[in-house]
Amino acid sequence: MSGPLAGVRVVEMPGLGPTPHAAMMLADLGADVIRIRRPGPDLPGPDGITDADAGLYRSRRSVDADVKNPGDLVRIREMITRADILLEGFRPGVMERLGLGPEICDAAPQLIYARMTGWGQDGDRAMSAGHDINYLAVTGVLEAMGPAGAPPVPPLSLVGDFGGGSMLLVVGVLAALHDRSRSGVGQVIDAAMVDGAGLLAQLQWSWKAAGRWVSRSEGNLLDGSAPFYATYRCADEKFIAVGALEEKFWQNLIDTLDLGDLPDRWDRANWPIITAALGARFATRTREEWQEVFAGVDACVTPVLDFDEAAADPVAVQRRSHVRVDGAIQPAPAPRFSRSALGTPRPSTTAELTQVLDDWSVTLDFRK
């Protein structure tokens, strides 16, 4: 194992979305992650596709264990007590009913017990079902997404599940690891997607307080309403992205487009006029032609690529931004380190509970 988390032991309880994504990132960083998997064949999702999330399981071992089997449960508990980190994403109370709640830390004071939920461990919504769109809806984040006059646009599952979920969970885990290096003991982490999504919107909250963020009907910066921060359809039905926020980039943009007679761009009343002018101009050429026009021009103009195009993008190839794991193209581990080189992601492998317990039988340095 290589990477800055080499030697760190992680148990990942069964889960979807942010929990396996957080485990994947820890594994990418070198941790020895053991994923508990429910025995039996993988069941298809509601769309009929089986194991569509397999790409999230890279670089770690999976063990089949039935939490309803007393023998398996004993071994899971033993594995957790030997771990540095436990990741679990059940609804509140499930781990307690299994006898694997935070009280397990009494037998394993080094353990960082990281809990991932949508609504948090307490509060009136704690036991309610929800998905990314719901967590964003109640934080004000979803309402802020999408241009004026259009319905709010769900941002895939990037902001709730992964930005506000798995990323927040990993931040908590790494902070707890640092604290443990000084205190010698772990702690329980309550990571909630609803908290994380709200935290990601801190800039918008700041703008709101300063008067820069206004009502949805007027449109806002960064939501697709501003003509200088939007996408435009080209002659080939592909799109170009414009992010000319600063004056120098805006000036380079309109000079290159030969649109020097536009009205004041900071007057929101002019936005429809400017958007129409830019839209008409971009519609006269293909995306590739506009790429050539803007090559070397500092105007924050880029092509809107699909996933296949993104993997083949020359800069992505230069930076080796994608890897192939088990025949599938995936984003490469990140970030990059000057000294702690990250390993190459590998497909998930299977192991036996007893094998993992044997591997983890050696006492960790911090407990000597």
Side-chain angles (χ1 to χ4, degrees), residues 7-20:
V8 173
R9 300 169 177 176
V10 181
V11 174
E12 171 197 353
M13 297 299 290
L16 299 172
T19 307

PDB file of all heavy atoms in Angstrom, residues 7-20:
ATOM      1  N   GLY A   7      -1.233   2.107   5.966  1.00  0.00           N
ATOM      2  CA  GLY A   7      -1.231   1.564   7.309  1.00  0.00           C
ATOM      3  C   GLY A   7      -2.479   1.866   8.105  1.00  0.00           C
ATOM      4  O   GLY A   7      -2.696   1.269   9.163  1.00  0.00           O
ATOM      5  N   VAL A   8      -3.313   2.782   7.630  1.00  0.00           N
ATOM      6  CA  VAL A   8      -4.562   3.098   8.312  1.00  0.00           C
ATOM      7  C   VAL A   8      -5.612   2.054   7.938  1.00  0.00           C
ATOM      8  O   VAL A   8      -5.795   1.734   6.770  1.00  0.00           O
ATOM      9  CB  VAL A   8      -5.058   4.511   7.924  1.00  0.00           C
ATOM     10  CG1 VAL A   8      -6.439   4.780   8.498  1.00  0.00           C
ATOM     11  CG2 VAL A   8      -4.071   5.566   8.404  1.00  0.00           C
ATOM     12  N   ARG A   9      -6.295   1.518   8.948  1.00  0.00           N
ATOM     13  CA  ARG A   9      -7.263   0.447   8.743  1.00  0.00           C
ATOM     14  C   ARG A   9      -8.681   0.999   8.836  1.00  0.00           C
ATOM     15  O   ARG A   9      -9.029   1.703   9.785  1.00  0.00           O
ATOM     16  CB  ARG A   9      -7.076  -0.633   9.804  1.00  0.00           C
ATOM     17  CG  ARG A   9      -5.695  -1.270   9.801  1.00  0.00           C
ATOM     18  CD  ARG A   9      -5.499  -2.134  11.031  1.00  0.00           C
ATOM     19  NE  ARG A   9      -4.215  -2.822  11.020  1.00  0.00           N
ATOM     20  CZ  ARG A   9      -3.765  -3.584  12.018  1.00  0.00           C
ATOM     21  NH1 ARG A   9      -4.504  -3.738  13.113  1.00  0.00           N
ATOM     22  NH2 ARG A   9      -2.597  -4.180  11.931  1.00  0.00           N
ATOM     23  N   VAL A  10      -9.488   0.651   7.835  1.00  0.00           N
ATOM     24  CA  VAL A  10     -10.850   1.187   7.749  1.00  0.00           C
ATOM     25  C   VAL A  10     -11.834   0.047   7.544  1.00  0.00           C
ATOM     26  O   VAL A  10     -11.616  -0.821   6.690  1.00  0.00           O
ATOM     27  CB  VAL A  10     -10.981   2.189   6.578  1.00  0.00           C
ATOM     28  CG1 VAL A  10     -12.399   2.772   6.519  1.00  0.00           C
ATOM     29  CG2 VAL A  10      -9.948   3.300   6.687  1.00  0.00           C
ATOM     30  N   VAL A  11     -12.915   0.053   8.306  1.00  0.00           N
ATOM     31  CA  VAL A  11     -14.035  -0.859   8.076  1.00  0.00           C
ATOM     32  C   VAL A  11     -15.184  -0.047   7.507  1.00  0.00           C
ATOM     33  O   VAL A  11     -15.580   0.972   8.081  1.00  0.00           O
ATOM     34  CB  VAL A  11     -14.490  -1.552   9.378  1.00  0.00           C
ATOM     35  CG1 VAL A  11     -15.749  -2.383   9.119  1.00  0.00           C
ATOM     36  CG2 VAL A  11     -13.372  -2.438   9.920  1.00  0.00           C
ATOM     37  N   GLU A  12     -15.696  -0.491   6.379  1.00  0.00           N
ATOM     38  CA  GLU A  12     -16.806   0.184   5.699  1.00  0.00           C
ATOM     39  C   GLU A  12     -18.042  -0.714   5.768  1.00  0.00           C
ATOM     40  O   GLU A  12     -18.071  -1.784   5.176  1.00  0.00           O
ATOM     41  CB  GLU A  12     -16.423   0.455   4.239  1.00  0.00           C
ATOM     42  CG  GLU A  12     -17.544   0.957   3.369  1.00  0.00           C
ATOM     43  CD  GLU A  12     -17.240   0.815   1.873  1.00  0.00           C
ATOM     44  OE1 GLU A  12     -16.101   0.456   1.524  1.00  0.00           O
ATOM     45  OE2 GLU A  12     -18.157   1.039   1.068  1.00  0.00           O
ATOM     46  N   MET A  13     -19.043  -0.266   6.499  1.00  0.00           N
ATOM     47  CA  MET A  13     -20.288  -1.016   6.562  1.00  0.00           C
ATOM     48  C   MET A  13     -21.058  -0.862   5.257  1.00  0.00           C
ATOM     49  O   MET A  13     -20.830   0.083   4.503  1.00  0.00           O
ATOM     50  CB  MET A  13     -21.137  -0.536   7.745  1.00  0.00           C
ATOM     51  CG  MET A  13     -20.487  -0.756   9.108  1.00  0.00           C
ATOM     52  SD  MET A  13     -20.161  -2.502   9.472  1.00  0.00           S
ATOM     53  CE  MET A  13     -21.841  -3.119   9.704  1.00  0.00           C
ATOM     54  N   PRO A  14     -21.990  -1.803   4.954  1.00  0.00           N
ATOM     55  CA  PRO A  14     -22.736  -1.708   3.698  1.00  0.00           C
ATOM     56  C   PRO A  14     -23.453  -0.371   3.576  1.00  0.00           C
ATOM     57  O   PRO A  14     -23.987   0.153   4.560  1.00  0.00           O
ATOM     58  CB  PRO A  14     -23.742  -2.861   3.794  1.00  0.00           C
ATOM     59  CG  PRO A  14     -23.162  -3.807   4.792  1.00  0.00           C
ATOM     60  CD  PRO A  14     -22.404  -2.964   5.767  1.00  0.00           C
ATOM     61  N   GLY A  15     -23.456   0.195   2.385  1.00  0.00           N
ATOM     62  CA  GLY A  15     -24.125   1.476   2.189  1.00  0.00           C
ATOM     63  C   GLY A  15     -24.099   1.887   0.733  1.00  0.00           C
ATOM     64  O   GLY A  15     -23.497   1.226  -0.115  1.00  0.00           O
ATOM     65  N   LEU A  16     -24.753   2.998   0.451  1.00  0.00           N
ATOM     66  CA  LEU A  16     -24.830   3.525  -0.894  1.00  0.00           C
ATOM     67  C   LEU A  16     -24.305   4.959  -0.923  1.00  0.00           C
ATOM     68  O   LEU A  16     -24.256   5.639   0.101  1.00  0.00           O
ATOM     69  CB  LEU A  16     -26.281   3.516  -1.395  1.00  0.00           C
ATOM     70  CG  LEU A  16     -26.970   2.155  -1.494  1.00  0.00           C
ATOM     71  CD1 LEU A  16     -28.452   2.354  -1.822  1.00  0.00           C
ATOM     72  CD2 LEU A  16     -26.296   1.288  -2.545  1.00  0.00           C
ATOM     73  N   GLY A  17     -23.926   5.415  -2.114  1.00  0.00           N
ATOM     74  CA  GLY A  17     -23.613   6.819  -2.328  1.00  0.00           C
ATOM     75  C   GLY A  17     -22.410   7.326  -1.574  1.00  0.00           C
ATOM     76  O   GLY A  17     -21.265   6.927  -1.820  1.00  0.00           O
ATOM     77  N   PRO A  18     -22.630   8.237  -0.615  1.00  0.00           N
ATOM     78  CA  PRO A  18     -21.490   8.925   0.008  1.00  0.00           C
ATOM     79  C   PRO A  18     -20.589   8.037   0.847  1.00  0.00           C
ATOM     80  O   PRO A  18     -19.385   8.298   0.942  1.00  0.00           O
ATOM     81  CB  PRO A  18     -22.161  10.006   0.870  1.00  0.00           C
ATOM     82  CG  PRO A  18     -23.550   9.528   1.083  1.00  0.00           C
ATOM     83  CD  PRO A  18     -23.915   8.768  -0.151  1.00  0.00           C
ATOM     84  N   THR A  19     -21.141   6.990   1.479  1.00  0.00           N
ATOM     85  CA  THR A  19     -20.288   6.153   2.321  1.00  0.00           C
ATOM     86  C   THR A  19     -19.254   5.385   1.493  1.00  0.00           C
ATOM     87  O   THR A  19     -18.054   5.459   1.787  1.00  0.00           O
ATOM     88  CB  THR A  19     -21.133   5.197   3.175  1.00  0.00           C
ATOM     89  OG1 THR A  19     -22.108   5.944   3.898  1.00  0.00           O
ATOM     90  CG2 THR A  19     -20.264   4.438   4.163  1.00  0.00           C
ATOM     91  N   PRO A  20     -19.646   4.643   0.451  1.00  0.00           N
ATOM     92  CA  PRO A  20     -18.608   3.999  -0.366  1.00  0.00           C
ATOM     93  C   PRO A  20     -17.712   4.991  -1.089  1.00  0.00           C
ATOM     94  O   PRO A  20     -16.533   4.697  -1.335  1.00  0.00           O
ATOM     95  CB  PRO A  20     -19.404   3.134  -1.342  1.00  0.00           C
ATOM     96  CG  PRO A  20     -20.785   3.662  -1.327  1.00  0.00           C
ATOM     97  CD  PRO A  20     -20.994   4.219   0.042  1.00  0.00           C
TER      98      PRO A  20
END
